[in-house]
Amino acid sequence: MKIYKETIGVRSHGKTPSYIDITKEVKEAIAKSGVQDGICVVISPHTTCSVFFEEYCHDRTEDGDEFLQADLNDALNKIIPEHVSGDQYRYPGKEHFEDVRTWASAASYLPNDDISDLYNGDAHMRATLLGSSQTFDVSDGKLGVGETGYIYFTDFDRTRARDRKCKIVVLGEEN
């Protein structure tokens, strides 16, 4: 059995949930792996990000989101409203805020040194709900999905733009 691993970089914009189509990169990783029959696992190591499988939708909103993504945002807003105030969610608590202040990267997480810089409880819950990974079939050295199926890496955190990583693991048999 062969195991192939690759990490790709993605950039979120931070204003609204960022949907990044990574289908091409996943297909390329499968081709590079040499695996003919097996599985491909696509993983987000970030707690406010998800990986999901959806039909590509040609129509877009004026903000650039595909209609299915905009519909998903609308549905998620009904069950997990955007985090905008301190009394809305328990997260982040005072202890968490004080701990973040000690991190080497604290300035990027707390640009205003204010607890409101951490108002992304909604992003954590949305990512938990949708999941951080997806597993796909690899058959005959190709991603085993239909023509309209696309793989998206989504960053639900709206606090700022970020460089993110996505891990692709291909396992299986070579011919």
Side-chain angles (χ1 to χ4, degrees):
M1 174 176 313
K2 179 167 187 179
I3 299 173
Y4 174 85
K5 294 182 179 187
E6 183 174 322
T7 300
I8 60 171
V10 294
R11 178 86 176 149
S12 66
H13 54 71
K15 299 176 195 107
T16 61
S18 298
Y19 293 90
I20 299 113
D21 175 6
I22 58 169
T23 311
K24 177 183 169 199
E25 291 85 349
V26 172
K27 288 179 177 180
E28 289 172 353
I30 291 170
K32 285 189 253 180
S33 76
V35 170
Q36 293 299 301
D37 291 296
I39 60 172
C40 176
V41 184
V42 184
I43 307 161
S44 164
H46 306 286
T47 58
T48 59
C49 300
S50 289
V51 174
F52 70 92
F53 180 63
E54 183 59 76
E55 180 175 58
Y56 176 78
C57 181
H58 298 84
D59 301 292
R60 293 184 177 269
T61 66
E62 53 192 45
D63 292 330
D65 289 334
E66 294 175 24
F67 276 9
L68 282 170
Q69 296 163 358
D71 289 340
L72 178 60
N73 287 340
D74 292 345
L76 288 172
N77 279 335
K78 290 177 183 174
I79 59 174
I80 306 170
E82 292 181 357
H83 194 171
V84 294
S85 70
D87 60 352
Q88 188 176 6
Y89 294 108
R90 291 179 187 95
Y91 175 88
K94 185 171 175 70
E95 287 183 40
H96 184 69
F97 173 63
E98 292 302 328
D99 188 66
V100 172
R101 288 174 119 182
T102 68
W103 296 357
S105 57
S108 69
Y109 284 90
L110 301 169
N112 302 308
D113 193 36
D114 187 84
I115 197 167
S116 65
D117 293 330
L118 300 176
Y119 286 175
N120 66 352
D122 60 318
H124 287 282
M125 288 187 281
R126 291 169 188 214
T128 297
L129 186 66
L130 292 179
S132 62
S133 67
Q134 290 283 316
T135 303
F136 299 95
D137 172 61
V138 175
S139 293
D140 299 321
K142 299 196 181 328
L143 178 64
V145 301
E147 285 183 39
T148 61
Y150 281 64
I151 303 166
Y152 295 92
F153 178 95
T154 304
D155 188 348
F156 290 107
D157 195 332
R158 300 169 292 101
T159 57
R160 66 189 177 285
R162 297 186 197 205
D163 290 316
R164 299 297 203 168
K165 294 177 183 165
C166 183
K167 298 181 182 245
I168 303 168
V169 182
V170 186
L171 303 96
E173 302 297 327
E174 299 176 281
N175 284 347

